[in-house]
Amino acid sequence: MFSVTVRDHMMIAHSFRGEVFGPAQQLHGATFVVDATFRRESLDADNIVIDIGRAAEQLHAVLADLNYRNLDDEPAFSGTNTTTEALAQVVADRLAARVLAGDLGETALGLAGIAVTLGESHVAWASYERPL
Amino acid sequence: MFSVTVRDHMMIAHSFRGEVFGPAQQLHGATFVVDATFRRESLDADNIVIDIGRAAEQLHAVLADLNYRNLDDEPAFSGTNTTTEALAQVVADRLAARVLAGDLGETALGLAGIAVTLGESHVAWASYERPL
Amino acid sequence: MFSVTVRDHMMIAHSFRGEVFGPAQQLHGATFVVDATFRRESLDADNIVIDIGRAAEQLHAVLADLNYRNLDDEPAFSGTNTTTEALAQVVADRLAARVLAGDLGETALGLAGIAVTLGESHVAWASYERPL
Amino acid sequence: MFSVTVRDHMMIAHSFRGEVFGPAQQLHGATFVVDATFRRESLDADNIVIDIGRAAEQLHAVLADLNYRNLDDEPAFSGTNTTTEALAQVVADRLAARVLAGDLGETALGLAGIAVTLGESHVAWASYERPL
Amino acid sequence: MFSVTVRDHMMIAHSFRGEVFGPAQQLHGATFVVDATFRRESLDADNIVIDIGRAAEQLHAVLADLNYRNLDDEPAFSGTNTTTEALAQVVADRLAARVLAGDLGETALGLAGIAVTLGESHVAWASYERPL
Amino acid sequence: MFSVTVRDHMMIAHSFRGEVFGPAQQLHGATFVVDATFRRESLDADNIVIDIGRAAEQLHAVLADLNYRNLDDEPAFSGTNTTTEALAQVVADRLAARVLAGDLGETALGLAGIAVTLGESHVAWASYERPL
């Protein structure tokens, strides 16, 4: 199995509902360093998993829809906690939709799966992985 | 599959028995940077894998029983080599026992597995993963 | 010259005023990974720059007053942009006040200076350094 | 499942053929930070996955055959693109051959698999994993 | 003293002349992770050292003139060794020229100095710093 | 001003005397990731600060005299606390002696200073810098 990973980041505000979150129930924020991994059983004719430049562009585009926002105000997240693990799924699913729409090129249609890790600090991170 | 990882560290002394270890047969020591990963198929009602604060507390408690010790003097490790890979299992198993005892909350009972990585330097690390 | 550095972090929301900030004029947030460095010409009788445990505690206390907050609502920052570089100064000055108040112990009174670096992402950080 | 990882690096020149590569079709170069992971179901009698010193030596030997080269001139890569993902496979397969030849010791014959990650920058890396 | 740092990278081929370089006399390559630091005595009216977005753009522009090249073919470096430390000076001097030309905005004219670090691997890096 | 830095590590056991050290008064250990920085006003005829290969070799030799030891048993440290900051000075002074003895080559005699940083974990490190 092969994989290629590209890294980018986003800076958002949000708050959580639920006693388990303690002081994080207040409006605060986070930088998420985002690693998007694309998996594939074998390489294509160019000897690549995916066009790394295009992967970086598409990840950047997905994050641009979240970056510099207060996620509490985003209709897409109404009534949900935008935890690190939940946002990892959001980014992975949006990337998957772009892959399936052909935005990452024809080669990307042969991908086996996507994994996304969001680092919220030097001591905590969360991941979500899914097939394609 | 989702996962959440928290990082902490411990600083211990130990020595190894066996020619394969060369100079590490002498009493020496290590800082282990410890990453504990908790895996789960789906998120709970709060949209989390696990309460990250509680996970960090429990990891810290597990490491506190090892930290600032000479592991050669610990009865739990009598007659065994406390290699990086072996200690990764010790930390994972002790965390698993705490999960099963309810120390990480009811949500944690839904975890699928635990993985622990111990970084012994910038050029070497070891991991152990197990189901729950 | 000797120095000792301890690392911690905080997660805050804020917004900026001024066209130069572009989309960061919207309410967003950041994780700041904070490195506090304590400088000293020579070591004390215990062969240390500062008690590292106490330094970590005091840094944590300084960050606790900012962590999980929307800095736009903090009276201390009214009318100012809480940029990464400005917050580096805030943290350094508050640490310096604690040093001078004796909160880091008598040894700390011999410190020559403090430097604070706030990492806002994997590709950008800012620092402020001052004498003591 | 246990694993042990060792890190080393190599510095090479190369160019790519194919429009997808854009400016990387020109002769350029890369530092690859190489992480080689050795997987094993259970520990051996010494409580190790593999002799970490020997693993580091063998990885260094594999990289020495590529380091400080222009890969465009290497017969082994004639007519192929030496992408990060393709080189990850080259390193993994060469390590696997050394394991099977006994170069990593008898214990290494019990390994379950090898994974190799090549970091090409702080924002991009690629991996290949295979059974043994 | 305040500073702001932005990180980017470039991937180049080159070779060195001189016995001291050993195997690096052959054509090889490197990824340089480039940190550009801008220093300033006090903050401007917006509470910044420099517009961080503009700093990142200008660093990217400077690196674009070197990226994906064989430096042995660049007239600017004819007859010189493009060592990590020498390239750190090249990047710093080109950034300084852009600052003085007003490309980083009027605020940047108040900068005290620039430092550039080029990381060539996880175990080696070089820096050059200069006043402005 | 130019600088070149090389990284290596050592793994030692030790204990501290003095109440300020709390549980670190017990025999424990540490991995120190060691960064040795060599400073120089201008580059030599080869366009380097120092031969980086030789610098790495000499740092490795200095660390070899400490690595895999219980520092409490080393006569050189009798009656002293081998704190991170104190060991940074030991490494810097031993490197300086080697520079002055010509072990890093003639070029190294033109060095302006040396700085050594010892990382004891992902959240704490200490440095010592001195002229040459």
Side-chain angles (χ1 to χ4, degrees):
Chain A
M1 178 69 84
F2 292 88
S3 72
V4 160
T5 304
V6 291
R7 173 171 284 187
D8 204 325
H9 73 287
M10 60 174 169
M11 304 178 84
I12 57 87
H14 61 170
S15 63
F16 299 137
R17 285 165 307 166
E19 278 180 42
V20 69
F21 295 105
Q25 293 174 86
Q26 301 163 217
L27 183 62
H28 64 288
T31 304
F32 291 114
V33 176
V34 183
D35 297 337
T37 297
F38 301 88
R39 299 210 167 104
R40 192 188 170 91
E41 286 294 340
S42 57
L43 300 182
D44 77 357
D46 287 316
N47 240 9
I48 59 173
V49 165
I50 200 174
D51 177 5
I52 207 170
R54 234 165 154 174
E57 274 169 29
Q58 293 296 317
L59 175 60
H60 197 72
V62 165
L63 299 185
D65 290 339
L66 303 168
N67 204 4
Y68 292 122
R69 307 283 176 88
N70 177 1
L71 300 186
D72 293 355
D73 292 342
E74 294 295 302
F77 305 127
S78 178
T80 65
N81 282 320
T82 53
T83 58
T84 309
E85 44 270 57
L87 289 172
Q89 185 178 23
V90 168
V91 174
D93 287 350
R94 292 184 181 183
L95 278 173
R98 285 169 179 260
V99 166
L100 298 174
D103 295 339
L104 281 92
E106 258 186 68
T107 279
L109 297 175
L111 289 172
I114 286 182
V116 170
T117 298
L118 265 64
E120 68 173 56
S121 77
H122 63 303
V123 291
W125 51 96
S127 297
Y128 173 71
E129 57 182 301
R130 53 162 281 170
L132 261 181
Chain B
M1 178 70 84
F2 292 89
S3 71
V4 161
T5 304
V6 291
R7 174 171 284 187
D8 204 327
H9 73 287
M10 59 175 170
M11 304 178 83
I12 56 87
H14 61 170
S15 62
F16 298 138
R17 283 165 309 166
E19 277 180 42
V20 70
F21 295 105
Q25 294 175 85
Q26 301 163 214
L27 182 62
H28 65 289
T31 304
F32 290 114
V33 176
V34 182
D35 297 338
T37 296
F38 301 88
R39 298 210 167 105
R40 192 187 171 94
E41 285 296 339
S42 57
L43 301 183
D44 77 357
D46 288 314
N47 240 8
I48 59 174
V49 165
I50 200 174
D51 178 5
I52 206 169
R54 231 163 157 176
E57 274 168 30
Q58 294 296 317
L59 175 60
H60 198 73
V62 166
L63 300 184
D65 289 339
L66 303 168
N67 204 4
Y68 292 123
R69 306 282 176 88
N70 177 1
L71 300 186
D72 293 355
D73 292 343
E74 295 294 302
F77 305 127
S78 179
T80 66
N81 282 319
T82 53
T83 59
T84 309
E85 46 270 58
L87 289 172
Q89 184 179 23
V90 168
V91 173
D93 287 349
R94 292 185 180 183
L95 278 173
R98 285 169 179 260
V99 167
L100 298 175
D103 296 339
L104 282 91
E106 258 186 67
T107 279
L109 298 174
L111 289 171
I114 287 181
V116 170
T117 298
L118 265 65
E120 68 173 58
S121 76
H122 64 303
V123 291
W125 51 96
S127 298
Y128 173 71
E129 58 181 303
R130 51 160 285 170
L132 259 181
Chain C
M1 179 69 84
F2 292 88
S3 72
V4 161
T5 304
V6 291
R7 172 170 285 187
D8 205 328
H9 73 288
M10 59 175 168
M11 304 178 83
I12 57 86
H14 60 172
S15 62
F16 299 137
R17 284 167 307 166
E19 276 179 45
V20 70
F21 296 105
Q25 293 174 85
Q26 301 163 216
L27 182 63
H28 63 289
T31 305
F32 290 115
V33 175
V34 183
D35 296 337
T37 296
F38 302 87
R39 299 211 167 102
R40 192 189 172 92
E41 287 295 340
S42 57
L43 300 182
D44 77 357
D46 288 315
N47 240 10
I48 60 174
V49 166
I50 200 174
D51 177 5
I52 206 171
R54 235 165 154 174
E57 275 168 27
Q58 293 296 316
L59 174 60
H60 197 74
V62 166
L63 299 184
D65 289 341
L66 303 168
N67 204 4
Y68 292 122
R69 307 282 177 88
N70 177 0
L71 300 185
D72 293 356
D73 292 342
E74 296 294 301
F77 305 127
S78 179
T80 66
N81 283 318
T82 53
T83 59
T84 309
E85 44 271 57
L87 289 172
Q89 185 178 24
V90 168
V91 173
D93 286 350
R94 291 184 180 183
L95 278 173
R98 285 169 179 259
V99 167
L100 299 174
D103 296 339
L104 282 92
E106 259 188 65
T107 279
L109 297 174
L111 290 170
I114 286 181
V116 170
T117 298
L118 265 64
E120 68 174 57
S121 75
H122 63 303
V123 292
W125 52 96
S127 297
Y128 173 70
E129 57 181 302
R130 51 162 284 172
L132 260 181
Chain D
M1 178 70 85
F2 292 88
S3 71
V4 161
T5 304
V6 292
R7 174 171 284 186
D8 205 326
H9 74 287
M10 59 176 169
M11 305 179 82
I12 58 86
H14 61 172
S15 63
F16 299 137
R17 282 166 308 166
E19 277 179 43
V20 69
F21 296 105
Q25 293 174 86
Q26 301 163 218
L27 182 62
H28 64 289
T31 305
F32 291 115
V33 176
V34 183
D35 298 337
T37 297
F38 301 87
R39 298 208 168 107
R40 191 187 171 94
E41 285 295 339
S42 57
L43 301 182
D44 76 358
D46 288 315
N47 240 8
I48 60 174
V49 166
I50 200 174
D51 177 8
I52 206 171
R54 234 164 154 175
E57 274 169 28
Q58 293 296 315
L59 175 60
H60 197 74
V62 166
L63 300 184
D65 289 340
L66 303 168
N67 204 5
Y68 293 122
R69 307 283 177 87
N70 176 2
L71 300 186
D72 293 355
D73 292 342
E74 296 294 302
F77 305 127
S78 179
T80 66
N81 282 319
T82 53
T83 59
T84 310
E85 45 270 57
L87 288 172
Q89 184 178 24
V90 168
V91 174
D93 287 350
R94 292 185 180 182
L95 278 173
R98 284 169 180 259
V99 166
L100 298 174
D103 296 340
L104 282 91
E106 258 186 67
T107 279
L109 297 174
L111 289 171
I114 287 182
V116 170
T117 298
L118 265 64
E120 69 173 57
S121 77
H122 63 305
V123 291
W125 51 97
S127 297
Y128 173 70
E129 56 182 301
R130 52 161 283 172
L132 259 181
Chain E
M1 179 67 85
F2 292 88
S3 70
V4 161
T5 304
V6 291
R7 173 170 285 186
D8 205 326
H9 74 287
M10 60 176 169
M11 303 178 84
I12 57 87
H14 60 171
S15 63
F16 299 137
R17 283 167 307 167
E19 277 180 43
V20 69
F21 295 105
Q25 293 173 86
Q26 302 163 215
L27 182 63
H28 63 288
T31 305
F32 291 115
V33 176
V34 183
D35 297 337
T37 297
F38 301 87
R39 299 211 166 103
R40 193 187 170 92
E41 285 295 340
S42 57
L43 300 182
D44 78 358
D46 289 314
N47 241 9
I48 60 174
V49 165
I50 200 173
D51 177 6
I52 206 170
R54 233 164 155 175
E57 274 168 28
Q58 293 296 316
L59 174 60
H60 197 74
V62 166
L63 300 184
D65 290 340
L66 302 168
N67 204 4
Y68 293 121
R69 306 283 177 88
N70 176 3
L71 300 186
D72 293 355
D73 292 342
E74 296 294 302
F77 305 127
S78 178
T80 65
N81 283 319
T82 53
T83 59
T84 309
E85 45 270 58
L87 289 172
Q89 183 178 24
V90 168
V91 174
D93 286 349
R94 292 184 179 183
L95 278 173
R98 285 169 179 260
V99 166
L100 298 173
D103 297 338
L104 282 90
E106 258 187 67
T107 280
L109 298 174
L111 289 171
I114 286 182
V116 170
T117 299
L118 266 64
E120 68 173 56
S121 76
H122 63 303
V123 291
W125 52 97
S127 296
Y128 173 70
E129 58 181 301
R130 51 161 283 171
L132 260 182
Chain F
M1 178 70 83
F2 292 89
S3 71
V4 161
T5 304
V6 291
R7 173 171 285 187
D8 205 326
H9 74 288
M10 60 176 168
M11 305 178 83
I12 57 86
H14 60 170
S15 63
F16 298 138
R17 283 165 309 166
E19 277 179 42
V20 69
F21 296 105
Q25 293 175 85
Q26 301 162 216
L27 181 63
H28 63 289
T31 304
F32 291 115
V33 176
V34 182
D35 296 337
T37 297
F38 301 87
R39 299 210 167 102
R40 193 188 169 94
E41 285 296 340
S42 56
L43 300 182
D44 76 359
D46 289 313
N47 241 8
I48 59 174
V49 167
I50 199 173
D51 177 6
I52 207 170
R54 233 164 156 175
E57 273 169 29
Q58 294 295 315
L59 175 60
H60 197 74
V62 166
L63 299 185
D65 289 340
L66 302 168
N67 204 4
Y68 293 121
R69 306 283 177 88
N70 176 1
L71 300 185
D72 293 356
D73 292 341
E74 295 294 301
F77 305 128
S78 178
T80 66
N81 282 320
T82 53
T83 60
T84 309
E85 44 271 58
L87 289 173
Q89 185 178 24
V90 168
V91 173
D93 287 350
R94 291 185 180 182
L95 278 173
R98 283 170 181 260
V99 166
L100 299 174
D103 296 338
L104 283 91
E106 258 188 65
T107 280
L109 298 174
L111 290 171
I114 287 181
V116 171
T117 298
L118 266 63
E120 68 173 57
S121 75
H122 63 304
V123 291
W125 52 95
S127 296
Y128 173 71
E129 58 181 302
R130 52 161 283 172
L132 259 181

